[in-house]
Amino acid sequence: MNKPYPHPIIAREGWPFLGASVVVAVLVTHFAGWWSLPFWIIALFVLQFFRDPARVIPQDPKAVLSPADGRVVVVEQAMDPYRKVEALKISVFMNVFNVHSNRSPVDGVVQHIEYNAGSFLNAALAKASLENERNAVLARLADGTEVTFVQIAGLVARRILCYAKVGDNLSRGQRYGFIRFGSRVDVYLPLSARAKVAIGDKVSATETILAELA
């Protein structure tokens, strides 16, 4: 994996979209004056969607950090479909107004990456974990603890980006991917982990602690 991506305020994935929307808005303003207002609103939406703020990283080595901004929609015991073991599952749903930069929840080595094509159901639905387009990163911590985190496309999201590769050493809070326009991230942890969030909680990528490892 390349060096940790810096934080230029606006995510690099959004530069083409932002540039195009601003150019269109300027052209419409030139030829149609105030009729261009809807185009400026679209440009502002694109700007807020692709914002990529820097975050303060908690230093607790046992903390599992939120990989995304959004709202917690699942905290339960469930089967990790990639490791085939029972796990503590915590899911964060991102709407179109959340930051969509994804960050590693733990310090660990990437063991495996698995991409699955699929549907584009509402990412807040439980079946989205198994039926939607998704990309899973399986990581192992220095003490042998295994954690799985999965990017899941949503009803509007049609593009999952993952920059991590097998063998990469991910650092907690490190930017490793992006999902465009609404989505979800599932995190599977050992059953011994203790959840620090509840369903309905709003969380921030990197800064919110989802759970604590035993």
Side-chain angles (χ1 to χ4, degrees):
M1 187 171 183
N2 295 331
K3 294 180 180 179
Y5 178 63
H7 298 280
I9 302 178
I10 303 301
R12 61 185 174 188
E13 292 86 355
W15 295 348
F17 295 92
L18 182 59
S21 62
V22 170
V23 168
V24 170
V26 168
L27 290 174
V28 175
T29 299
H30 178 73
F31 291 106
W34 285 104
W35 290 103
S36 65
L37 182 58
F39 294 90
W40 284 110
I41 292 174
I42 291 172
L44 286 173
F45 170 77
V46 173
L47 178 65
Q48 73 81 31
F49 180 87
F50 286 105
R51 67 195 189 280
D52 191 14
R55 296 289 170 81
V56 177
I57 303 174
Q59 297 304 305
D60 182 355
K62 294 294 186 179
V64 177
L65 311 183
S66 179
D69 284 16
R71 177 172 56 88
V72 176
V73 293
V74 172
V75 180
E76 65 182 15
Q77 181 174 331
M79 176 66 70
D80 179 338
Y82 303 94
R83 299 185 188 275
K84 309 301 182 185
V85 296
E86 287 293 318
L88 170 63
K89 177 182 179 181
I90 301 178
S91 301
V92 177
F93 173 73
M94 295 171 276
N95 64 37
V96 294
F97 297 104
N98 292 129
V99 172
H100 278 62
S101 177
N102 298 144
R103 304 155 191 241
S104 177
V106 294
D107 295 323
V109 177
V110 177
Q111 301 171 280
H112 180 66
I113 293 177
E114 182 175 325
Y115 171 81
N116 291 277
S119 304
F120 296 96
L121 304 173
N122 185 334
L125 300 176
K127 59 184 179 181
S129 291
L130 298 176
E131 296 185 18
N132 278 20
E133 178 184 13
R134 56 204 180 275
N135 188 80
V137 175
L138 284 66
R140 175 176 290 164
L141 283 62
D143 64 1
T145 300
E146 295 181 328
V147 174
T148 304
F149 36 105
V150 190
Q151 297 168 290
I152 301 172
L155 185 64
V156 180
R158 300 290 166 137
R159 181 65 168 160
I160 294 175
L161 302 172
C162 179
Y163 306 119
K165 297 179 175 61
V166 173
D168 283 350
N169 283 284
L170 293 179
S171 301
R172 57 179 57 219
Q174 180 178 339
R175 189 184 196 281
Y176 80 93
F178 198 93
I179 314 178
R180 292 178 186 156
F181 304 115
S183 42
R184 165 177 174 161
V185 178
D186 291 343
V187 180
Y188 295 93
L189 305 168
L191 289 176
S192 56
R194 291 173 292 176
K196 308 297 283 188
V197 293
I199 293 175
D201 286 355
K202 291 183 178 180
V203 298
S204 297
T206 298
E207 294 186 338
T208 300
I209 296 175
L210 292 185
E212 187 175 283
L213 298 172

